[in-house]
Amino acid sequence: MLQRPQRGDPFWIWALHWWEWLSWALIALVTLITVLGDAPATTRYGLPALVAVLALCYALVRGYPDNPVLRPYGYLCVLVAVLGGLSYVGDGLGVFYTVTLAQFAVFVDSLRSAVVYTGLGALAITVGGTLREGWRADVLAANAVSSLAVYAVGILIALLTPRALAQRDERAILRAELSSARLELAEVYQRQGAAEERERLAREIHDTLAQGFASIIVLAEAARSGLAVDAGRSALQLQSIEQTARENLAEARDLVGAAPRSGVAAGSVATTLRRTLDRFTEDTGLVVTAELADVDCDQPTRVALLRCTQESLANIRKHAAAGEVGVVLARHPGGVELEITDDGCGFVVEESHGFGLDGMRKRLAEFGGDLLVTSSLGGGTRILATIPLNGQE
């Protein structure tokens, strides 16, 4: 049984749907006119009785489509019988066969069934009309010709409906596949976004909290070992521990959204890097030579340069065993360059798989920048970070 059309169904499916409802409007109108008119008693009482039976069966089969007792084919049998009865009780009521042709296509599930039941309807009105007018050969022939003409239209409807249904099913499959693809794509984007956010948080934690805690550990060990030898220096180291812990707390609040992102105070990038280098010198005692140009750049770029500096200095402190560190910040036509060198033990770049260097590369890549690492065993290390400034002065 043809269900209510959905958006995107072929025009023919919608046409059958509206024809089905239009047929009931016409049946109701004809019934009303007949009852209120001066038709013979047989017609005036027989017509509404037959229409009432048909309407009740229609309501039942439409209201309970899955009920095994109220099968659509049972309704079509009632329709055929009612059409025959209408043709018998009133002149011209055989036109109801034309009005209800759509139902013979709506309530079947195969072309063969549509052809058979449409033919039974034509036979019913032919027999009913002939019985009413008198069973004569000429009357039977006239009624048969008119019924066959309408039956031909019914055959055409029966032929067109399966094609429209197939087209509807194809579109339904395509819509389902499209909806499924959209859901899968949304899930992919969601997973990708979650992965990118986890990676960003991991990078931020590594560049801020992890580095701060590492610094606290180093300072705490130095302060503990120097308490008996140099209490003044130990006091300075304890002060640095306190300051680093406060900065870590601020960074933690930044990461959970309790304060503006980055935790980097406004100002020039040179001033920001100078404070970081001073802290590094104070904590480690290493000699730091800095040439910091007054480069004007936006806040995200300043944060990226600061994080690269912090990561490089943390690596120098933990791994390089260096005596001197050089930092150069320069402005070039294509952007800004940050160079950090040390005279430490160096390493084999190809064998380095740490999170720090990879995080620096990804952070710079977000700005269209690049990271070049040059090092050799015993030959120190050179870190060169470049970021295009995109027209910033």
Side-chain angles (χ1 to χ4, degrees), residues 105-301:
V106 166
F107 286 94
V108 296
D109 55 10
S110 68
L111 174 61
R112 178 180 178 181
S113 297
V115 172
V116 169
Y117 279 93
T118 305
L120 290 176
L123 178 62
I125 64 170
T126 301
V127 173
T130 303
L131 288 176
R132 177 178 51 80
E133 298 177 22
W135 194 264
R136 300 193 309 272
D138 59 333
V139 173
L140 177 62
N143 288 335
V145 170
S146 60
S147 298
L148 288 175
V150 180
Y151 178 55
V153 177
I155 295 298
L156 180 61
I157 295 174
L159 291 173
L160 291 176
T161 301
R163 296 180 183 180
L165 289 174
Q167 186 180 2
R168 180 198 64 179
D169 294 340
E170 290 174 2
R171 291 183 179 181
I173 293 173
L174 289 176
R175 287 196 298 267
E177 291 177 350
L178 179 59
S179 177
S180 176
R182 286 176 176 171
L183 290 176
E184 292 179 2
L185 186 60
E187 292 177 357
V188 169
Y189 281 140
Q190 185 176 13
R191 289 194 297 268
Q192 181 180 355
E196 291 176 353
E197 182 62 13
R198 284 195 299 269
E199 183 177 348
R200 185 192 69 80
L201 287 175
R203 187 169 62 242
E204 291 292 340
I205 292 173
H206 176 274
D207 292 348
T208 56
L209 300 182
Q211 298 296 355
F213 287 130
S215 177
I216 288 173
I217 292 172
V218 172
L219 290 171
E221 291 175 347
R224 183 181 59 187
S225 61
L227 278 174
V229 179
D230 190 348
R233 179 166 180 77
S234 295
L236 292 176
Q237 290 169 334
L238 289 173
Q239 185 178 354
S240 294
I241 290 175
E242 179 184 356
Q243 184 176 351
T244 302
R246 292 182 184 278
E247 292 173 354
N248 261 26
L249 178 59
E251 293 287 358
R253 287 172 175 168
D254 294 339
L255 290 175
V256 297
R261 285 186 59 183
S262 84
V264 180
S268 71
V269 65
T271 302
T272 303
L273 296 186
R274 175 64 66 184
R275 288 196 297 265
T276 301
L277 296 176
D278 290 343
R279 284 285 308 281
F280 178 78
T281 301
E282 180 181 335
D283 293 344
T284 63
L286 297 179
V287 177
V288 178
T289 303
E291 297 179 13
L292 306 176
D294 190 12
V295 178
D296 186 17
C297 55
D298 57 23
Q299 177 77 347
T301 303

Side-chain angles (χ1 to χ4, degrees), residues 203 269 273 295-309 328-340 359-372 383-393:
R203 187 169 62 242
V269 65
L273 296 186
V295 178
D296 186 17
C297 55
D298 57 23
Q299 177 77 347
T301 303
R302 290 198 307 113
V303 173
L305 292 172
L306 174 62
R307 299 305 184 216
C308 288
T309 302
V328 178
L329 177 68
R331 178 74 158 90
H332 292 286
V336 61
E337 288 186 352
L338 174 65
E339 181 185 49
I340 302 175
M360 291 167 65
R361 288 191 179 92
K362 291 181 178 180
R363 184 184 291 276
L364 293 172
E366 293 177 359
F367 299 87
D370 195 13
L371 181 73
L372 177 63
I383 302 290
L384 180 63
T386 59
I387 297 180
L389 293 185
N390 300 323
Q392 299 179 43
E393 297 296 337

Side-chain angles (χ1 to χ4, degrees), residues 28-50:
L29 179 61
V30 172
T31 302
L32 181 62
I33 293 174
T34 303
V35 171
L36 298 178
D38 56 355
T42 303
T43 305
R44 192 164 59 251
Y45 295 112
L47 172 59
L50 291 171

